[in-house]
Amino acid sequence: MQILGEEDLVKYPFLEETKEYIAKLGLTLNDFVSNEFEKVIRRCELRLMSSRYPPELYTLDKDTDLLSFILALIIIKASQREDVFTRFAFNEANRAEHFLKTEENKRVLTYILKRLLNINILEVDDFIGNSHYEYAIHVKDYIKLSSSLKSIHWKIVNKIVYNGLVYLKRREIIRLARDKIYQEIYKRIKDAPTPVVPQNLQYLVDIVKNRPLPKRLAKNLVPTVDPPCVTQILDKIKAGKNLSHYERFFITTFLLKRGKTIDEIISLFSFSPDFNEKIARYQVEHIAGLRGGRKQYNVPDCKTLFSQSLCYKNESCDNISHPLNYKLKKVEKLWREEKTS
Amino acid sequence: MERREDFLRKIFRKYYYENVHKIQAPQRLSEREIGYLTFYPEKMIRHINLKSEGELRALLIHEAPKSVYYSSAYYDDPSAPINARIWKGADLVFDIDLDHLMVKEDYMISFTLCNSCKLYFPKNENKRCPACGSEKIKVISIPTKKGLEYGKEEIVRLMDILIEDFGISKKEMKIYFSGKRGYHLTVENSLYEDADQNFRMELSDYLTLNGFKISNILNQEYTLNELSQLFPLPYEKGWLGRVSKSFFKDILNDPLQNLNENYLRDMLQKYFLTITRKELQSILEKIVDKIKIRIDTNVTTDIHRIFRMPETLHGETGFIKKEITIIESFYPLVDAIAFTQEPIKVYVHYAPKFELNEQVFGPYKNQEIILPEMTAVFLTCMGLAEPLDCP
């Protein structure tokens, strides 16, 4: 049964159907050099250069649009610029989100969502308060799909959960789909072998290579700022209070990542009333991966800290999802403010 | 071996010897890690792999351990070091402990032991020994019948949510008295067995309402009058329905016999005229705090944890970790008692008045006394008494 029309492939060029369609054309990279593909090349340039292009700017004809998408994937891979992998995937996902939001045919929307998310999706029709719930997915699928979304809005505690299903509004499931599209496109570029691009197309790779780098800040500009979750624990240590097991674990992983030495961390812990150097040293060395399982532990992310009741989020956190990103965000902000003032 | 440990080990062995036929291995025993704690020296032995119920029973009689544990997780090779084994999944486990419940005075009898001068004294605020001033003090708590009954209510509420919201069937759940101060609920063979730590964290936040936004109900965009038409109703799904139920029952004093929407909305509308938004916010916050499930979240989120094995003895109380079939008629301080009424002479350092098997004991202080075996074992396990007779 044919549910998707030609225009759907143009809107959602990352679907499997596109791959089949392109494969049937039997083209190789060298074919793009010919003049007959000029429109494809122009379209591809647009895809490569714009950091955010208006979604309406999409349709010349099916072949042009689909081929330009595939060509853009190849060119970006050839550029080996990881930041562009991310940027491109993000833009394409936003573009698709726009189409999903305006999709009038619910049958098509449901079909695409199922294909994209690759899970079982139930159509429901429930009103609670003034919210309309149109879809339900299994809570396990939901948690996997929403794991990269930071806001507590996405926690299941703020969702309707019933009989193993999470009930979702249309725009919510579309938002989950956008994330999945982003990941799929990123993975597709990342996992692809690096192609050999013909000389005539090399300039496209150069366009990508010459895109300005994202803001990276000189190290000496960085003031020492700690996120509130870290300040909270450091204050506790300075006040001579005992830390819980998890607080100790978190602060150790954090300080190690910030380049503190094991001895520096131990001397910090020596403020605690229950300090025992032998035990403290063992624990810190264990976390640093020098003992036991020889596994160096990662710094827990904001979600985990929240679940451990160790998140003291305030405005300064600015939607970060990991305490290590705090400094960067904060500095970027200061930098922007400085620039505008 | 110390006298106390020797006494307990012998009596634990006697129990295992006489009751070994009652001990059933947890399902899929060979995929779980087994561990046990010895009496003297007190040492934890881990990474054991047992192939059969027979091997488990032999271990219990032979070692007579202080405590026996099994992993909630299933591994390809449970005896390998933790990083070298493949995690295949884990039961969902929930722990309701009186320590985490809204502790009321009569839920537990608590008193304090000074580790420096070995003085027992009532719990006080200044966290110091009244005799020697030492800060090395330890609070000891004995659960009361009332506290344990309250814990049962919490377990029942937890079960309801797991069934209604997560679609877990009663058949997949097992409830146990933990052998000390609470209850364990495990979910085996369910769809959730392969759930990772992130899922379990979300699940425990869901149950404890950690991160619940009151604005889910009290949307800033609407006036209170408008909200009376949008407020969730008691029959709605998930937490929204539960918050609403509590609101009608506890705040509006409605018995919820009439679930007609117009009737309910009228009530809301009238009530909302009498309060401010801020007051409503604070009422809802209190409801959320009241109805959340007080599980120990560290237990649920840990995918490598080991738990006391069902039907074995708790080394700190001598009670059995007992499976509960009918929760209404299960009384831990009667049904989880392993030992007999046979008289045993002990020296009791300190014990408050407490209840065991519907008999009242204590208070005792620095005295020799003949007690039933069950009581003598309990006090000895708690570190409050020394045996004078040896079995």
Side-chain angles (χ1 to χ4, degrees):
Chain A
M1 189 175 54
Q2 188 80 22
I3 293 181
L4 296 185
E6 285 205 351
E7 73 280 13
D8 294 319
L9 293 192
V10 173
K11 287 178 186 170
Y12 314 112
F14 40 80
L15 290 174
E16 281 299 309
E17 278 90 341
T18 318
K19 280 190 197 160
E20 288 161 23
Y21 178 79
I22 301 278
K24 273 189 205 147
L25 298 177
L27 295 167
T28 69
L29 203 46
N30 286 318
D31 295 327
F32 286 95
V33 180
S34 120
N35 281 345
E36 90 183 81
F37 289 103
E38 207 191 316
K39 275 204 289 186
V40 175
I41 305 288
R42 296 290 151 259
R43 179 80 187 89
C44 178
E45 282 173 18
L46 189 72
R47 277 193 136 113
L48 293 174
M49 282 193 287
S50 328
S51 50
R52 242 177 229 219
Y53 54 88
E56 309 81 75
L57 259 185
Y58 73 96
T59 180
L60 297 168
D61 57 76
K62 182 182 172 190
D63 286 0
T64 306
D65 217 80
L66 293 185
L67 288 172
S68 69
F69 174 76
I70 302 292
L71 186 59
L73 292 177
I74 296 170
I75 298 295
I76 286 170
K77 180 69 196 191
S79 79
Q80 302 197 10
R81 280 267 307 266
E82 286 236 8
D83 60 308
V84 182
F85 296 2
T86 320
R87 198 71 235 170
F88 178 79
F90 184 75
N91 289 338
E92 292 290 333
N94 273 336
R95 174 179 177 270
E97 185 188 24
H98 167 85
F99 293 124
L100 289 170
K101 275 183 180 163
T102 48
E103 187 63 69
E104 278 165 9
N105 186 338
K106 191 168 176 186
R107 197 161 142 249
V108 172
L109 177 63
T110 307
Y111 177 81
I112 292 175
L113 288 171
K114 276 188 188 167
R115 290 293 314 273
L116 272 176
L117 300 174
N118 201 16
I119 55 168
N120 211 356
I121 297 175
L122 287 180
E123 284 187 20
V124 295
D125 190 18
D126 265 25
F127 285 88
I128 298 178
N130 69 336
S131 302
H132 185 203
Y133 295 89
E134 294 188 65
Y135 291 98
I137 63 176
H138 196 270
V139 60
K140 261 168 69 181
D141 293 329
Y142 174 80
I143 288 175
K144 269 191 203 132
L145 289 171
S146 64
S147 64
S148 59
L149 299 170
K150 302 161 216 161
S151 156
I152 61 167
H153 168 79
W154 296 100
K155 292 182 71 62
I156 54 169
V157 72
N158 290 314
K159 294 274 156 278
I160 306 285
V161 183
Y162 184 72
N163 203 16
L165 298 172
V166 177
Y167 285 67
L168 297 168
K169 297 168 202 163
R170 183 187 285 227
R171 64 178 162 79
E172 291 176 326
I173 196 164
I174 290 175
R175 179 67 184 79
L176 295 179
R178 180 184 109 188
D179 233 51
K180 178 86 173 175
I181 297 167
Y182 163 79
Q183 287 161 16
E184 295 276 300
I185 297 179
Y186 177 79
K187 195 169 173 284
R188 202 157 144 191
I189 304 174
K190 181 108 180 145
D191 294 350
T194 308
V196 182
V197 177
Q199 202 54 45
N200 292 14
L201 297 178
Q202 191 59 43
Y203 81 98
L204 287 173
V205 180
D206 293 336
I207 290 179
V208 179
K209 278 194 174 156
N210 294 332
R211 272 177 68 160
L213 280 167
K215 273 178 261 160
R216 287 264 187 273
L217 295 150
K219 268 202 169 162
N220 53 11
L221 267 177
V222 175
T224 40
V225 275
D226 289 321
C229 48
V230 171
T231 323
Q232 190 82 17
I233 297 178
L234 292 177
D235 288 349
K236 229 172 146 179
I237 296 176
K238 281 173 203 151
K241 290 182 187 156
N242 284 327
L243 300 183
S244 74
H245 177 70
Y246 204 84
E247 282 172 322
R248 222 177 281 252
F249 169 77
F250 164 51
I251 198 72
T252 306
T253 56
F254 184 87
L255 295 175
L256 283 169
K257 251 313 185 266
R258 278 280 174 94
K260 289 263 187 290
T261 66
I262 288 173
D263 285 327
E264 281 170 330
I265 296 172
I266 291 168
S267 74
L268 188 68
F269 284 149
S270 67
F271 288 104
S272 291
D274 61 354
F275 178 71
N276 173 328
E277 185 174 343
K278 216 174 125 194
I279 296 175
R281 181 169 295 278
Y282 181 82
Q283 287 174 341
V284 174
E285 287 180 353
H286 190 94
I287 292 168
L290 302 175
R291 281 171 184 266
R294 308 268 154 178
K295 174 187 166 199
Q296 191 180 349
Y297 288 85
N298 290 330
V299 185
D301 62 1
C302 295
K303 249 187 176 172
T304 311
L305 292 168
F306 181 84
S307 292
Q308 293 285 344
S309 304
L310 292 179
C311 172
Y312 295 90
K313 184 177 173 170
N314 60 29
E315 275 176 10
S316 74
C317 290
D318 201 15
N319 270 336
I320 52 165
S321 60
H322 199 284
L324 284 172
N325 292 341
Y326 181 81
K327 193 153 81 173
L328 203 65
K329 278 269 181 181
K330 180 112 177 170
V331 174
E332 259 177 34
K333 216 172 172 181
L334 288 172
W335 194 62
R336 268 202 309 272
E337 279 162 10
E338 208 168 84
K339 244 173 98 180
T340 48
S341 63
Chain B
M1 193 182 277
E2 296 280 320
R3 189 183 178 90
R4 186 192 287 179
E5 283 73 22
D6 189 34
F7 165 78
L8 289 176
R9 190 172 179 213
K10 278 184 181 148
I11 210 151
F12 272 37
R13 176 173 284 145
K14 186 183 94 177
Y15 169 81
Y16 285 125
Y17 184 74
E18 287 167 2
N19 295 282
V20 78
H21 58 282
K22 286 190 204 158
I23 291 169
Q24 286 178 339
Q27 62 146 347
R28 293 163 66 187
L29 177 73
S30 62
E31 293 169 75
R32 300 190 194 252
E33 179 193 340
I34 307 296
Y36 65 90
L37 190 67
T38 56
F39 269 110
Y40 192 83
E42 195 175 281
K43 203 177 156 200
M44 188 71 183
I45 319 270
R46 284 192 66 167
H47 311 313
I48 299 172
N49 180 211
L50 297 178
K51 299 275 181 243
S52 68
E53 199 163 77
E55 278 185 38
L56 170 67
R57 290 174 173 179
L59 178 133
L60 292 175
I61 295 174
H62 186 257
E63 295 294 333
K66 185 172 178 184
S67 288
V68 188
Y69 303 95
Y70 74 119
S71 63
S72 58
Y74 305 105
Y75 301 101
D76 66 327
D77 178 5
S79 57
I82 198 103
N83 292 328
R85 37 175 124 134
I86 297 166
W87 184 88
K88 298 200 290 190
D91 305 333
L92 292 181
V93 188
F94 306 91
D95 177 27
I96 302 266
D97 194 290
L98 288 189
D99 282 350
H100 285 82
L101 298 180
M102 284 185 282
V103 177
K104 293 194 181 150
E105 280 298 303
D106 51 358
Y107 286 177
M108 283 200 283
I109 311 163
S110 295
F111 54 97
T112 321
L113 159 70
C114 171
N115 274 327
S116 300
C117 68
K118 300 286 167 203
L119 181 79
Y120 292 85
F121 55 94
K123 208 173 155 184
N124 63 15
E125 290 304 314
N126 57 24
K127 292 178 183 162
R128 278 173 186 277
C129 171
C132 69
S134 164
E135 282 184 23
K136 287 187 176 169
I137 57 170
K138 183 175 132 194
V139 176
I140 299 172
S141 300
I142 300 178
T144 63
K145 195 171 162 182
K146 201 165 169 187
L148 290 167
E149 283 304 297
Y150 183 72
K152 272 159 65 173
E153 287 170 26
E154 200 77 353
I155 276 283
V156 171
R157 294 203 304 127
L158 170 63
M159 280 173 76
D160 287 345
I161 296 182
L162 293 176
I163 293 170
E164 284 168 25
D165 296 4
F166 291 89
I168 294 169
S169 75
K170 256 195 169 148
K171 219 172 51 201
E172 293 162 333
M173 287 191 257
K174 281 183 181 157
I175 329 163
Y176 304 94
F177 169 58
S178 73
K180 198 174 179 192
R181 279 197 295 266
Y183 301 88
H184 292 165
L185 189 158
T186 64
V187 179
E188 291 180 358
N189 292 331
S190 79
L191 217 61
Y192 298 103
E193 188 178 294
D194 63 352
D196 60 7
Q197 195 166 24
N198 183 40
F199 177 92
R200 289 165 203 251
M201 261 162 27
E202 277 289 310
L203 174 61
S204 73
D205 284 344
Y206 184 87
L207 297 169
T208 55
L209 284 167
N210 188 19
F212 180 80
K213 295 196 298 181
I214 300 287
S215 62
N216 290 336
I217 300 170
L218 202 56
N219 193 325
Q220 294 296 330
E221 288 167 30
Y222 300 103
T223 63
L224 281 189
N225 190 39
E226 285 166 333
L227 279 172
S228 68
Q229 301 308 308
L230 300 172
F231 198 84
L233 296 177
Y235 46 75
E236 239 118 40
K237 299 181 173 88
W239 276 120
L240 290 187
R242 282 181 205 103
V243 171
S244 174
K245 234 179 249 168
S246 170
F247 189 83
F248 276 94
K249 277 191 168 167
D250 304 329
I251 308 296
L252 303 181
N253 296 316
D254 186 82
L256 289 179
Q257 270 153 4
N258 181 355
L259 289 178
N260 175 286
E261 177 166 358
N262 292 336
Y263 167 78
L264 297 170
R265 296 246 176 254
D266 273 357
M267 269 175 74
L268 289 170
Q269 198 170 20
K270 279 181 200 142
Y271 183 70
F272 285 2
L273 286 173
T274 66
I275 50 165
T276 63
R277 181 180 286 270
K278 219 174 151 189
E279 283 164 343
L280 183 55
Q281 167 97 21
S282 124
I283 289 172
L284 291 172
E285 278 165 10
K286 279 186 194 130
I287 288 179
V288 164
D289 191 56
K290 183 182 168 214
I291 64 176
K292 66 182 182 191
I293 308 289
R294 290 170 161 75
I295 53 165
D296 179 346
T297 54
N298 290 326
V299 170
T300 302
T301 55
D302 189 344
I303 57 167
H304 290 292
R305 208 177 179 97
I306 54 173
F307 294 88
R308 186 171 307 284
M309 195 181 286
E311 302 304 320
T312 65
L313 298 171
H314 196 304
E316 289 166 33
T317 58
F319 292 147
I320 306 167
K321 172 170 174 178
K322 192 91 185 155
E323 184 172 352
I324 303 173
T325 40
I326 304 166
I327 194 154
E328 294 78 15
S329 58
F330 180 87
Y331 297 102
L333 298 180
V334 177
D335 297 320
I337 288 175
F339 296 101
T340 64
Q341 295 286 342
E342 256 175 63
I344 289 187
K345 197 166 161 196
V346 286
Y347 179 85
V348 184
H349 300 288
Y350 179 88
K353 192 174 158 189
F354 64 99
E355 201 182 301
L356 215 54
N357 207 2
E358 294 180 323
Q359 300 163 54
V360 178
F361 298 95
Y364 308 121
K365 200 170 180 184
N366 299 331
Q367 66 191 89
E368 273 186 34
I369 186 170
I370 293 174
L371 290 171
E373 184 186 71
M374 59 168 196
T375 319
V377 172
F378 175 67
L379 292 178
T380 310
C381 281
M382 296 282 288
L384 301 173
E386 305 295 335
L388 297 175
D389 285 345
C390 246

